[in-house]
């Protein structure tokens, strides 16, 4: 089922009247954006070892894409590209961000949130942010309102984690201030040096009572788990990892309830299934895959909370939900959570090669589901090659907006592909691996730029980078697993894809 390239199209919904919706008719839009959820991690994508009934409900009455891509194989560049419509490789400072990074998207940049805000939507981001906060890296005062945050780039409401659950500060930030702030425990954060008298994971394994690290993650200890970066204070504002998903779901549901009578845009970025995987006790022991399987179940539960809320408020019919992930799957990403040992037959990347970080398909090929009962009446599987980079231009068309000059430079209108599952013309898709290697997909062909360097990631996870000294060309229709490099047999296709990449790279303005 997963190598869908070979399957014929299922019945597609009747042609849609796409384009600007009349003002009173505009759908609510919810992006449910998972973290590190792989192509093969959902039952609607063929997973057997875990069941995801709420996500499957979207697939059963929406469009399921089997050739969808994030713009990058890690979080920060992927989210940057998705929210701005500009490839992250065009900009310095868009690699995986520390928890004390300054805001990577500048207030003057146009974002998906600006688009909806200007179109009269109420906008929110709830969950994992990972795009920096404040004006200056390492100089934020976490005990006061942040000088720059999500409201400066179009979000009316926010309840976010600054970076990731494995990076300090381990607190939620609501409307630009630490939520549940505890004045008795002022917060200090550093990525440069430890704080005196604060125990570190590398010295005090005895304090790591919830999860031990397998690589990295040996600095600050919060909730019995080692993190990246140093932190002091926080008190009652510190999150408990087992409650993160519920906090995110609650704030998302409250936002929907508050805005039920006007159009809203919700970017719901879950912490699941990123490390440290430490789901709520009610999921414990429920998956044969252990913590990683339980984190997938918890993700599905969050989706269920959203769907139940929409049903209860009568909003399901005219809410467009796009569910996807920021990058491909990863198994051991730095904590000894038995993900590797308990995997058995489960294939987090489906039949794709490699994982998160990689230039191979496991890096940026992601699940993607689109659900909008009012427009999409019949379920289908779409084989169109689609990318998140095109969301902003496509959604602009949907709400009848014109992007300002220079905004979202890499985003193209692919609304027909995203909402009807069939494209008028095939678009090429560029993806970026963790080492900045670029790959391009056009039709069945995928080309990976030559880049020297190790074949395996040298710093921790056992993952193939996709690096090679020579051109790589794969025919994904015949060889989804990227086993046979056919660059030498098809020099004309290599030349064509190289030329497209070259002209795209030439567009980058030097800062
Ligand atoms: C890596 C982390 C990994 C994860 C990743 C970013 C170590 C050893 N590994 O550096 O655990 O946090 O960065 O993941 O620190 S992402 O999905 O947010 O891009
Ligand atoms: Ca991620």
């Amino acid at each position: 089922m997963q190598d869908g390239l070979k399957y014929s199209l299922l019945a597609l919904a009747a042609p849609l009247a796409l384009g600007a919706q009349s003002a009173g008719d505009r759908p609510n839009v919810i992006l449910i954006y998972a973290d590190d959820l792989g192509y093969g991690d959902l039952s609607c994508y063929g997973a057997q070892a875990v069941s995801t009934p709420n996500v499957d409900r979207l697939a059963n009455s929406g469009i399921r894409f089997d050739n969808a891509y994030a713009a990058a194989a890690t979080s920060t560049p992927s989210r940057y590209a998705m929210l701005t419509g500009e490839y992250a490789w065009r900009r310095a400072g868009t690699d995986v961000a520390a928890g004390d990074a300054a805001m990577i998207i500048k207030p003057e940049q146009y974002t998906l949130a600006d688009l909806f805000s200007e179109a009269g939507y109420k906008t929110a981001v709830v969950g994992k942010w990972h795009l920096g906060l404040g004006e200056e890296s390492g100089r934020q005062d976490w005990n006061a309102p942040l000088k720059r945050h999500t409201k400066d780039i179009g979000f009316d409401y926010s309840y976010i984690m600054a970076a990731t659950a494995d990076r300090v500060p381990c607190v939620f930030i609501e409307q630009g201030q630490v939520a549940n702030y505890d004045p008795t425990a002022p917060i200090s954060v550093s990525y440069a040096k430890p704080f005196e008298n604060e125990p570190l994971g590398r010295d005090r394994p005895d304090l790591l009572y919830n999860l031990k690290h397998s690589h990295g993650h040996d600095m600050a200890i919060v909730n019995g788990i080692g993190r990246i970066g140093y932190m002091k204070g926080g008190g009652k504002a510190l999150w408990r990892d087992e409650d993160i998903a519920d906090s995110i779901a609650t704030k998302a549901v409250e936002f929907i309830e508050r805005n039920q009578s006007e159009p809203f845009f919700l970017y719901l970025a879950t912490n699941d299934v990123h490390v440290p995987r430490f789901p709520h006790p009610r999921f414990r022991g429920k998956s044969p895959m252990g913590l990683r399987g339980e984190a997938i179940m918890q993700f599905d539960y969050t989706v269920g909370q959203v769907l139940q809320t929409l049903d209860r408020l009568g909003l399901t019919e005219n809410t467009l939900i796009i569910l996807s992930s920021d990058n491909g799957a990863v198994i051991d990403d730095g904590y000894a959570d038995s993900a590797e040992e308990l995997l058995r037959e489960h294939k987090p990347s489906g039949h794709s090669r490699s994982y998160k970080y990689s230039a191979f398909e496991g890096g940026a090929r992601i699940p993607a589901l689109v659900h909008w009962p009012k427009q999409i009446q019949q379920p289908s599987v779409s084989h169109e090659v689609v990318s998140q980079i095109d969301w902003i231009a496509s959604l602009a068309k949907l709400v009848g907006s014109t992007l300002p000059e220079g905004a979202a430079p890499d985003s193209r209108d692919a609304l027909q592909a995203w909402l009807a599952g069939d494209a008028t013309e095939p678009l090429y898709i560029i993806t970026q691996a963790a080492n900045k290697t670029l790959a391009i997909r056009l039709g069945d062909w995928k080309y990976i730029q030559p880049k020297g360097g190790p074949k395996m990631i040298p710093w921790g996870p056992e993952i193939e980078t996709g690096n090679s000294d020579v051109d790589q060309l794969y025919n994904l229709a015949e060889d989804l697993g990227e086993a046979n490099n056919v660059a030498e047999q098809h020099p004309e296709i290599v030349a064509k894809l190289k030329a497209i990449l070259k002209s795209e790279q030439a567009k980058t303005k030097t800062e």
Side-chain angles (χ1 to χ4, degrees):
M1 179 166 164
Q2 297 181 359
D3 25 0
L5 286 162
K6 297 192 193 93
Y7 288 71
S8 62
L9 283 174
L10 297 183
L12 282 172
L16 302 178
L18 293 177
Q21 303 284 308
S22 65
D25 237 21
R26 287 177 310 181
N28 304 307
V29 177
I30 304 181
L31 295 184
I32 303 179
Y33 208 60
D35 198 350
D36 298 356
L37 184 76
Y39 185 90
D41 279 331
L42 298 165
S43 23
C44 54
Y45 278 88
Q48 306 273 321
V50 63
S51 161
T52 52
N54 293 297
V55 177
D56 297 352
R57 179 179 153 195
L58 299 178
N60 291 338
S61 51
I63 309 176
R64 182 172 73 78
F65 290 86
D66 61 10
N67 279 296
Y69 292 86
T74 53
S75 159
T76 302
S78 188
R79 287 162 204 257
Y80 174 88
M82 187 271 282
L83 288 177
T84 65
E86 177 184 64
Y87 284 120
W89 46 264
R90 298 197 190 282
R91 289 258 178 182
T94 52
D95 282 341
V96 174
D100 67 348
M103 280 263 285
I104 293 173
I105 303 174
K106 303 296 173 233
E108 58 275 16
Q109 284 182 270
Y110 193 80
T111 68
L112 198 50
D114 288 321
L115 165 74
F116 283 105
S117 185
E118 285 170 15
Y121 281 62
K122 282 282 180 293
T123 58
V125 51
V126 176
K128 171 178 172 174
W129 180 237
H130 213 189
L131 287 165
L133 289 169
E135 288 177 329
E136 228 186 308
S137 294
R139 303 292 298 272
Q140 300 90 344
D141 179 358
W142 301 99
N143 305 291
L146 289 161
K147 295 223 174 75
R148 189 180 281 176
H149 68 101
T150 45
K151 82 164 176 357
D152 299 304
I153 56 169
F155 290 101
D156 298 319
Y157 174 73
S158 63
Y159 179 80
I160 53 176
M161 312 163 77
T164 56
D166 59 349
R167 285 173 174 76
V168 301
C170 299
V171 291
F172 276 98
I173 293 158
E174 188 165 25
Q175 302 293 68
Q177 298 190 52
V178 170
N180 300 321
Y181 182 71
D182 184 345
T184 68
I187 299 170
S188 310
V189 167
S190 170
Y191 277 72
K193 57 176 188 338
F195 296 101
E196 237 173 87
N197 301 325
E198 287 295 314
L200 301 181
R202 55 179 167 251
D203 308 324
R204 296 294 306 273
D206 57 304
L207 298 179
L208 303 175
Y209 54 84
N210 273 331
L211 268 183
K212 308 238 181 280
H213 47 270
S214 56
H215 55 263
H217 305 109
D218 59 358
M219 295 166 243
I221 303 173
V222 176
N223 192 29
I225 299 175
R227 316 279 166 166
I228 308 171
Y230 307 104
M231 178 177 184
K232 198 176 148 175
K236 69 175 172 47
L238 292 173
W239 66 50
R240 290 172 75 237
D241 299 72
E242 49 273 60
D243 295 329
I244 288 176
D246 283 341
S247 307
I248 291 173
T250 301
K251 296 293 180 176
V253 165
E254 286 172 4
F255 172 79
I256 296 171
E257 283 170 344
R258 276 201 306 281
N259 294 286
Q260 56 182 288
S261 44
E262 48 198 328
F264 60 81
F265 165 64
L266 169 62
Y267 168 35
L268 170 52
T270 67
N271 167 56
D272 291 314
V273 299
H274 197 277
V275 296
R277 303 173 187 122
F278 202 69
H280 192 272
R282 67 182 183 278
F283 299 102
R284 296 301 168 78
K286 297 281 159 65
S287 169
M289 284 196 288
L291 291 167
R292 187 169 188 281
E294 289 153 19
I296 295 172
M297 292 171 72
Q298 184 168 262
F299 171 73
D300 185 69
Y301 177 86
T302 300
V303 175
Q305 294 297 295
V306 172
L307 298 185
Q308 278 170 32
T309 305
L310 296 174
D311 289 346
R312 170 165 56 82
L313 301 175
L315 297 176
T316 305
E317 179 75 7
N318 200 23
T319 296
L320 165 62
I321 299 177
I322 307 177
L323 181 148
S324 194
S325 180
D326 68 336
N327 51 251
V330 57
I331 308 170
D332 179 347
D333 206 13
Y335 290 94
D337 59 7
S338 302
E340 199 83 56
E341 300 88 303
L342 297 175
L343 205 56
R344 301 195 181 94
E345 300 300 303
H346 182 73
K347 293 191 164 33
S349 302
H351 294 295
S352 295
R353 182 165 175 180
S354 199
Y355 297 96
K356 174 180 177 177
Y357 307 113
S358 181
F360 289 130
E361 288 290 280
R365 177 191 281 257
I366 34 86
L369 301 168
V370 172
H371 187 261
W372 182 11
K374 191 166 172 206
Q375 283 280 11
I376 304 167
Q377 275 102 28
Q378 266 184 299
S380 64
V381 176
S382 170
H383 309 314
E384 286 306 324
V385 177
V386 286
S387 167
Q388 296 171 1
I389 194 80
D390 296 324
W391 282 351
I392 181 165
S394 306
L395 293 169
K397 173 145 184 227
L398 178 75
V399 299
S401 295
T402 312
L403 294 173
E405 184 72 27
D410 294 310
S411 193
R412 302 150 302 184
D413 167 20
L415 193 65
Q416 176 73 20
W418 279 106
L419 289 187
D422 58 345
T424 34
E425 55 167 324
L427 296 173
Y428 57 80
I429 299 299
I430 299 172
T431 55
Q432 163 187 347
N435 59 3
K436 297 247 177 72
T437 300
L438 301 184
I440 178 167
R441 166 109 198 242
L442 177 59
D444 293 335
W445 298 101
K446 156 131 178 235
Y447 166 78
I448 306 176
Q449 281 182 329
K451 178 133 176 176
K455 298 259 181 267
M456 300 298 290
I457 289 180
W459 49 265
E462 279 176 46
I463 291 178
E464 291 180 302
T465 56
N467 287 349
S468 171
D469 295 334
V470 298
D471 290 322
Q472 294 179 77
L473 181 74
Y474 299 100
N475 182 336
L476 296 179
E478 291 165 4
D479 178 24
L480 188 57
E482 295 168 285
N484 305 308
N485 179 4
V486 291
E488 280 181 15
Q489 289 93 304
H490 299 281
E492 72 299 343
I493 294 167
V494 169
K496 179 177 169 185
L497 295 178
K498 263 173 125 155
I500 300 175
L501 263 188
K502 198 169 164 205
S503 76
E504 281 293 345
Q505 286 177 295
K507 288 186 201 161
T508 303
K509 297 186 194 74
T510 42
E511 287 173 81

